[in-house]
Amino acid sequence: AEPLSGVVDRFGGVTVTLGPEDAADVGSLEVRLRASLATWRGAGRCAAWVRVPRQAYSALPTVLAQGFDWHHAKAASQAGPENPEGYALLARWLAEDEPSRIPAYANTQVGVGGLVLNREDSVLLIKERVSPSAKIHGLWKLPGGLADRGEDLGTAAAREVLEETGVHATAEGVVCIHHRHGYAHGVSDLYFTVKMRAQSVELAAQASEVMEATWMPLEEAQRSPEVMPFNRRILMLASKPVLVPHSGLHGSSIAPRPFFVYASAASLDSATGKPSGCDGA
Amino acid sequence: AEPLSGVVDRFGGVTVTLGPEDAADVGSLEVRLRASLATWRGAGRCAAWVRVPRQAYSALPTVLAQGFDWHHAKAASQAGPENPEGYALLARWLAEDEPSRIPAYANTQVGVGGLVLNREDSVLLIKERVSPSAKIHGLWKLPGGLADRGEDLGTAAAREVLEETGVHATAEGVVCIHHRHGYAHGVSDLYFTVKMRAQSVELAAQASEVMEATWMPLEEAQRSPEVMPFNRRILMLASKPVLVPHSGLHGSSIAPRPFFVYASAASLDSATGKPSGCDGA
């Protein structure tokens, strides 16, 4: 059987892209894939990659049965111009006397919160329609959400603030960063609180996701029991961030989760009286 | 045909997990999946999810042909205890009069660099065996690499520094953050430079990836043409970070890429004489 033709990369791996002809005759594909693996091993290739675009999806079980496993897979809405209809990328480590050096795919989501101040030093807060837990439902919190693919932090924060509250705001810098693990599908989360200056103050809450939006004096928000405890701690950091890691516990409806926050040592100390005091709801 | 039995979530979606029996009879699965979609739509479900563990991989083409697309897929080495042999998760948005609210999977990788100082204020530097481009090959750079799944920044930096140089070091805080887009497979990159204090100074370079390791006086490293320009800029920030975003261009062998760095305004200004001066090799 004729081996599949592949492209060799600078790490010593080889990549094959399947076409509709491979998917149309999976029996022949299986034989050629076996022959290819023998050839690549003989040539000292350390890894083999098989890219499967939508037009070849019926070949997936055949490739997966030949010792390949997922690297990642993307829907059309997430894939780039090379595979506009989506694709799966499969990999197999070939150098049996060495541990696999196949790099893991990205596993972190990026969230942004806007800490928006107006000229009177009031902070912009919202109440969500759907909350992660009953315990925090109905409390005020900073507007924010997930950054889109390829989106910068300041851009993402400005977009989320505008969408959720109708307020135009400009990013000035990052107040603090939260790093947490064990989110849905096992991903980690990096959450950046972005300090912003309001360019408009009129409120127009997004009806589908936001119950209410308001401006609250910063000093009141830092202390009010109607503001999520976790957000109150962030509001105490609004002055001068210097990045020092502090560990804490983040309460949830299931179990407290450990996390790190990178923020001003001085601010955290004065806000809580203890260096690891960033836990909250 | 009997609809598949699914679990309803709090966002109004429904999830089905396939078993080997579904994969063994894909004709019947196709009929049941059609019936299920009609039932779910009638019940007002906005989204359908199909989880396919390894034992059901032969059902993938059938599900993909029914209007489902990838959410993500994970190899055994990346998957958690729920699907220890790996899995694919497929999704289809059902509410045709609304835009899809299916959340994108994580698309960011996290890198860490250790800015390790010893008692004489010398900084730890390495030369890599394989460099991203010929232009920077053979230049000194900070040790570092990708964080593992679920790994904290300080832990990752300490692990990479130890692996690459043999030096034990303790994380003190984050010096600066680089945010860049358009890496392999379209992922974004968040790179944290972690300031560290050396607990040992003896060098033992990792033979497979590191050509050489050294201690260089910080002031010399900040100016030496034998240190990667990009790293020289980071070394100018070693004092007091305050997070303010600056945009710059990061040169590569293909084309310059725009990025943001979050760091001290004062440090950047004094280092470069211009606020957006963080470009380099």
Side-chain angles (χ1 to χ4, degrees):
Chain A
E2 196 186 344
L4 298 158
S5 81
V7 177
V8 174
D9 62 40
R10 67 190 158 97
F11 303 104
V14 59
T15 302
V16 165
T17 300
L18 299 189
E21 68 285 4
D22 300 303
D25 182 0
V26 294
S28 163
L29 173 64
E30 185 183 332
V31 175
R32 294 185 67 195
L33 199 47
R34 278 183 205 276
S36 305
L37 286 165
T39 304
W40 296 331
R41 273 220 194 78
R45 302 280 160 244
C46 60
W49 300 78
V50 177
R51 178 177 285 267
V52 187
R54 173 173 287 278
Q55 55 185 0
Y57 281 171
S58 61
L60 282 166
T62 305
V63 183
L64 286 159
Q66 286 298 315
F68 284 78
D69 207 345
W70 309 104
H71 184 263
H72 69 281
K74 285 193 191 185
S77 60
Q78 301 296 318
E82 283 168 37
N83 294 108
E85 297 186 275
Y87 69 94
L89 183 62
L90 309 176
R92 178 172 172 177
W93 183 248
L94 300 179
E96 277 161 12
D97 51 343
E98 295 173 49
S100 168
R101 289 194 309 271
I102 291 174
Y105 182 69
N107 55 28
T108 299
Q109 65 182 28
V110 175
V112 289
L115 196 168
V116 185
L117 295 175
N118 66 16
R119 290 188 187 176
E120 284 75 43
D121 251 5
S122 283
V123 62
L124 181 59
L125 298 171
I126 63 154
K127 288 182 182 177
E128 290 177 316
R129 285 218 180 274
V130 179
S131 301
S133 78
K135 192 173 142 198
I136 58 171
H137 188 68
L139 296 182
W140 294 107
K141 58 165 285 188
L142 300 175
L146 291 179
D148 286 339
R149 173 184 150 93
E151 194 175 39
D152 292 308
L153 304 178
T155 309
R159 178 183 53 72
E160 286 285 349
V161 165
L162 180 62
E163 283 176 8
E164 295 188 348
T165 70
V167 170
H168 294 263
T170 321
E172 293 186 339
V174 171
V175 172
C176 65
I177 308 162
H178 290 82
H179 195 194
R180 296 173 285 201
H181 308 293
Y183 278 68
H185 318 300
V187 310
S188 294
D189 179 85
L190 271 163
Y191 193 84
F192 296 80
T193 301
V194 179
K195 191 169 172 181
M196 308 184 84
R197 184 59 53 183
Q199 304 300 330
S200 71
V201 294
E202 201 175 333
L203 300 173
Q206 184 185 50
S208 60
E209 291 179 29
V210 177
M211 212 150 56
E212 202 181 343
T214 195
W215 291 101
M216 189 184 288
L218 179 60
E219 290 200 8
E220 180 186 335
Q222 287 170 335
R223 283 162 184 80
S224 168
E226 288 175 38
V227 174
M228 270 178 63
F230 194 57
N231 280 243
R232 288 207 299 270
R233 306 297 176 97
I234 293 174
L235 292 172
M236 297 305 262
L237 308 175
S239 50
K240 292 220 175 302
V242 177
L243 293 183
V244 176
H246 298 259
S247 63
L249 285 174
H250 179 63
S252 80
S253 52
I254 304 157
R257 282 182 181 152
F259 72 96
F260 279 95
V261 59
Y262 297 82
S264 160
S267 304
L268 279 181
D269 291 350
S270 65
T272 66
K274 49 179 181 169
S276 63
C278 243
D279 49 323
Chain B
E2 198 185 344
L4 298 157
S5 80
V7 177
V8 174
D9 63 39
R10 67 191 159 97
F11 302 105
V14 59
T15 302
V16 165
T17 299
L18 299 188
E21 68 285 2
D22 300 303
D25 182 358
V26 294
S28 163
L29 173 64
E30 185 183 333
V31 175
R32 294 185 68 196
L33 199 46
R34 278 183 205 277
S36 305
L37 286 165
T39 304
W40 295 331
R41 275 221 193 77
R45 302 281 161 246
C46 60
W49 300 78
V50 177
R51 177 177 285 268
V52 187
R54 173 172 286 277
Q55 54 184 1
Y57 281 171
S58 61
L60 282 166
T62 306
V63 182
L64 286 158
Q66 287 297 313
F68 284 78
D69 206 344
W70 309 104
H71 184 263
H72 69 281
K74 285 195 191 185
S77 60
Q78 301 295 318
E82 284 168 37
N83 294 108
E85 298 186 275
Y87 69 93
L89 183 62
L90 309 176
R92 179 172 172 180
W93 183 248
L94 300 179
E96 277 161 12
D97 51 343
E98 295 173 49
S100 168
R101 288 194 308 271
I102 291 174
Y105 183 68
N107 55 28
T108 299
Q109 65 183 27
V110 175
V112 290
L115 195 168
V116 185
L117 296 175
N118 66 14
R119 288 187 189 180
E120 283 77 42
D121 253 6
S122 283
V123 61
L124 181 60
L125 298 170
I126 63 154
K127 289 182 182 177
E128 290 177 317
R129 285 216 180 273
V130 179
S131 301
S133 79
K135 192 173 144 197
I136 58 171
H137 188 67
L139 297 182
W140 294 107
K141 56 166 286 188
L142 300 176
L146 291 180
D148 286 339
R149 173 184 151 94
E151 195 176 39
D152 291 309
L153 304 177
T155 310
R159 177 183 53 72
E160 286 285 349
V161 165
L162 180 63
E163 283 176 9
E164 294 188 348
T165 70
V167 170
H168 293 263
T170 320
E172 293 186 338
V174 171
V175 173
C176 64
I177 308 162
H178 291 82
H179 194 195
R180 295 172 287 200
H181 309 294
Y183 278 68
H185 318 300
V187 309
S188 295
D189 179 85
L190 270 162
Y191 192 83
F192 296 80
T193 301
V194 178
K195 191 169 172 180
M196 308 184 85
R197 184 60 51 183
Q199 304 299 329
S200 71
V201 294
E202 202 175 333
L203 300 171
Q206 182 184 52
S208 60
E209 293 178 27
V210 177
M211 212 151 54
E212 202 180 344
T214 195
W215 291 102
M216 189 183 289
L218 180 60
E219 290 198 9
E220 181 186 335
Q222 287 170 333
R223 282 163 184 77
S224 168
E226 289 176 37
V227 175
M228 269 178 63
F230 195 58
N231 281 242
R232 288 208 299 271
R233 307 299 176 98
I234 292 174
L235 291 173
M236 297 304 262
L237 309 175
S239 50
K240 292 218 175 306
V242 177
L243 293 182
V244 177
H246 298 259
S247 63
L249 284 174
H250 179 62
S252 81
S253 51
I254 305 159
R257 282 182 180 152
F259 71 96
F260 279 94
V261 58
Y262 298 81
S264 161
S267 303
L268 279 181
D269 290 350
S270 67
T272 67
K274 50 179 180 166
S276 63
C278 242
D279 49 323

